[in-house]
Amino acid sequence: MSMLTHAVLTLLLPLASAALIALFLRRQGALASWISTAAAGGVAALSLILLQHGERVTGSLEWLRFGDFSVSLGFKFDDLAALMLFVVGWVGFLIHVFSLGYMHDDAAKARFFGGLSIFMFSMIGIVLADSLFMIFIFWELVGFSSWLLINHYHEKQSAADASKKAFIVNRVGDFGFLLGIVWCYWQFGTTDLTALAKLAPAHAGAISAGLPLLLFCGAMGKSAQMPLHVWLPDAMEGPTPVSALIHAATMVAAGIYMLCRINFLMVPDALNAIACVGTITAVYAALCAVVQRDIKKVLAYSTLSQLGYMVAAFGLGSRTVTSHMGGINVDWIVPAGVGAAMFHLTTHAFFKALLFLGSGSVIHGCHHEQDIFRMGGLRGKMPLTFLTFTLGVAAIIGVPFLAGFFSKDAILYLAYRNNTAIFALLAFTAVLTSFYMVRMWKIVFFGEARSESAGHAHESGLVMTLPLMLLAGLSVTGGYASIYGRLAGSLAHLIPVAHGADHTIILATSLAVTVIGAAAAWFLYPAAKDDALEVKSGALFGRLVQLKESFDSVYDYYVAKVQQRFAMLLNFLEQIFLAGLIIRGLAGLVGLAGLGARALHVGSLHAYVYWFLLGTVLLWAFATGLF
């Protein structure tokens, strides 16, 4: 088979699995789970074949035509797509395997695995899309499938609310994304990525910052950047494998991947704004993570913070170069930031999937307890989970020679080279990351069991621990040039590397932030049922809690006091003027008068007395000539 056929098959396998489960296997959960996992295994194998073969292919087919406007569906498989496909395929497959054990007794297992398959189909569609229009189609399918998975426990009101929140917030970002696609077609006459890559440098001076910023709105939604970040922590209401799949390597990474896809449309002002949004998100989410009790929500805010790191890297790493084209000097963007952003996306996918699945193993072993202050002493009861989870924590805080150490240092170097203020903020974020991750790790695994659930905890079975071991291996080795270079191809050459004095400064900074944050957490948090920060500094703890809840409070106020009232006004005007006067005309006017007359007859003597007095006043005013 040709490589294009392999790419098509990679896309269609999970679609076939989802269709088969939805049509025939809704009551056969065991069979559905194995079919979905087999399809994910096929995707993983095909992604490895495509990655190692080295051939990069494109192909498209016209789908719709309206006059001069045509819509084509096609594939663009280059080094960027090959890397992302490997991440989605292999992490997705390992999460499927883990789910076989985690969801073994779930009554709605068939629906769950069908949702996983449709999600994999949607994500692969984004990865292989050759145009902004095709990306948008699968972008919306990812939104639908994530709603379905987050809402798996739909009988819980919190899960239903979280799924609706995720769906609505993402639609806000997607509206801006759609406007950006329309603007792009209007300016360039195409949304094809290959054609845009050729046209953009020649038209760099004519590209407004509004175009890339509107496209960035889509990434703000999917990758949960401020102020559209509020859906991701609540999405922890879904099963833990869903949290790992959506919030570790796939859905939230789609925004970063899309930015790297359209780097040629970026202009300096847009990049500066993107870098600022990423930095603010990174700091905010790290501060919120410090006061979380739910093990999954600690990881959710950690994901928000790390996504902010990636967005900041993209905005900081790209630089402006002046070229001589057609007799004029043109400024355009060299995508140095793409290398750093994709490097951290890849390593983060490995260790964050490990941490989420490790938290799932802990939750499963503690009989679905999620409060870290009701755990403790799990190091001896769950040794394999403890070992792999420890490697994941070490990777994310940047312990030397692990994957996160290399990718985090690349981003810090970009910030140090380009923006001192952002460098300081990202270094502070790294201190917080080390603090809240070691805090969670110590509370969960050390000391004595602080609840009956933790006291009776047990190690998970092989089907759940095997993915942990494989992801642990990738979390250790995924940052080395010999490994990542084979995965990323030409993208590996875009990773910035510090030399000389810069290397010494970045290395010293990286080690310092890791040690300071870890030591502070280790000595501050003893084995106790209460949060040590809340006990020792209630004011600081309370302010951090308010910081976490502030955005939800603002949005709740806006919806209840502004949006809902505006909707009620529109409904009133529609009922009175549109439906009443314009459509029904005189009949509507008479009906309106009748409605008013009926409203006077309320059957209350007090009301009739008030109407009598009002009529008397009006009659007196008329008789005296006031009217």
Side-chain angles (χ1 to χ4, degrees), residues 171-191:
R171 298 294 74 71
V172 175
D174 293 353
F175 179 68
F177 186 29
L178 181 60
L179 291 179
I181 294 173
V182 172
W183 186 341
C184 186
Y185 183 82
W186 174 75
Q187 181 163 349
F188 294 102
T190 183
T191 62

Side-chain angles (χ1 to χ4, degrees), residues 264-601:
F264 43 77
L265 293 174
M266 293 295 159
V267 296
D269 288 343
L271 287 169
N272 290 335
I274 290 171
C276 290
V277 168
T279 304
I280 293 170
T281 303
V283 176
Y284 168 84
L287 289 170
C288 291
V290 169
V291 295
Q292 297 303 307
R293 296 178 65 98
D294 188 311
I295 187 171
K296 288 172 63 177
K297 287 198 174 182
V298 175
L299 297 177
Y301 279 106
S302 171
T303 300
L304 273 176
S305 185
Q306 296 302 306
L307 289 168
Y309 249 82
M310 298 174 210
V311 171
F314 178 83
L316 286 168
S318 300
R319 58 191 177 89
T320 305
V321 173
T322 301
S323 300
H324 190 73
M325 297 183 179
I328 59 174
N329 290 328
V330 176
D331 291 337
W332 61 290
I333 301 299
V334 175
V338 172
M342 287 302 298
F343 188 23
H344 197 56
L345 183 154
T346 304
T347 60
H348 176 264
F350 298 148
F351 58 69
K352 188 54 66 68
L354 169 62
L355 289 169
F356 266 115
L357 295 186
S359 72
S361 180
V362 168
I363 293 168
H364 185 265
C366 291
H367 310 285
H368 298 282
E369 177 61 66
Q370 294 186 202
D371 188 343
I372 61 175
F373 290 100
R374 290 180 55 80
M375 297 177 184
L378 300 184
R379 178 178 53 171
K381 295 181 175 65
M382 306 180 70
L384 193 54
T385 299
F386 167 71
L387 176 61
T388 55
F389 200 92
T390 301
L391 288 173
V393 170
I396 193 173
I397 68 176
V399 171
F401 310 117
L402 274 67
F405 169 77
F406 299 106
S407 59
K408 183 187 74 174
D409 278 15
I411 295 175
L412 287 176
Y413 172 57
L414 282 176
Y416 175 75
R417 192 179 65 183
N418 293 306
N419 192 307
T420 304
I422 290 180
F423 170 72
L425 289 172
L426 292 182
F428 174 63
T429 302
V431 174
L432 293 175
T433 301
S434 183
F435 178 84
Y436 65 70
M437 290 304 301
V438 172
R439 161 188 179 264
M440 176 182 65
W441 174 70
K442 183 180 181 183
I443 293 170
V444 170
F445 290 103
F446 290 84
E448 300 296 328
R450 292 183 291 276
S451 69
E452 184 178 351
S453 299
H456 294 89
H458 58 85
E459 184 62 275
S460 304
L462 182 62
V463 73
M464 295 175 65
T465 54
L466 181 60
L468 298 182
M469 290 185 282
L470 294 174
L471 286 168
L474 290 170
S475 298
V476 173
T477 63
Y480 286 90
S482 58
I483 302 295
Y484 184 75
R486 294 181 63 85
L487 299 178
S490 60
L491 293 176
H493 302 298
L494 296 176
I495 299 173
V497 179
H499 298 284
D502 287 348
H503 174 72
T504 303
I505 292 172
I506 298 302
L507 179 61
T509 302
S510 179
L511 294 175
V513 298
T514 299
V515 171
I516 291 171
W522 182 264
F523 291 110
L524 177 62
Y525 280 90
K529 292 185 177 182
D530 299 316
D531 192 308
L533 183 63
E534 184 177 13
V535 173
K536 295 179 181 297
S537 181
L540 175 60
F541 183 87
R543 284 193 290 269
L544 290 176
V545 171
Q546 290 176 357
L547 179 67
K548 176 183 77 70
E549 297 174 349
S550 58
F551 278 89
D552 279 331
S553 300
V554 171
Y555 285 140
D556 288 344
Y557 179 85
Y558 166 77
V559 170
K561 302 298 184 181
V562 180
Q563 180 176 294
Q564 188 66 17
R565 293 183 178 183
F566 182 66
M568 292 171 64
L569 174 63
L570 291 180
N571 179 67
F572 174 77
L573 295 176
E574 189 275 335
Q575 293 291 328
I576 298 300
F577 293 103
L578 183 61
L581 295 179
I582 298 177
I583 296 177
R584 298 181 63 192
L586 185 59
L589 186 61
V590 172
L592 197 61
L595 182 65
R598 287 197 302 274
L600 300 177
H601 300 280

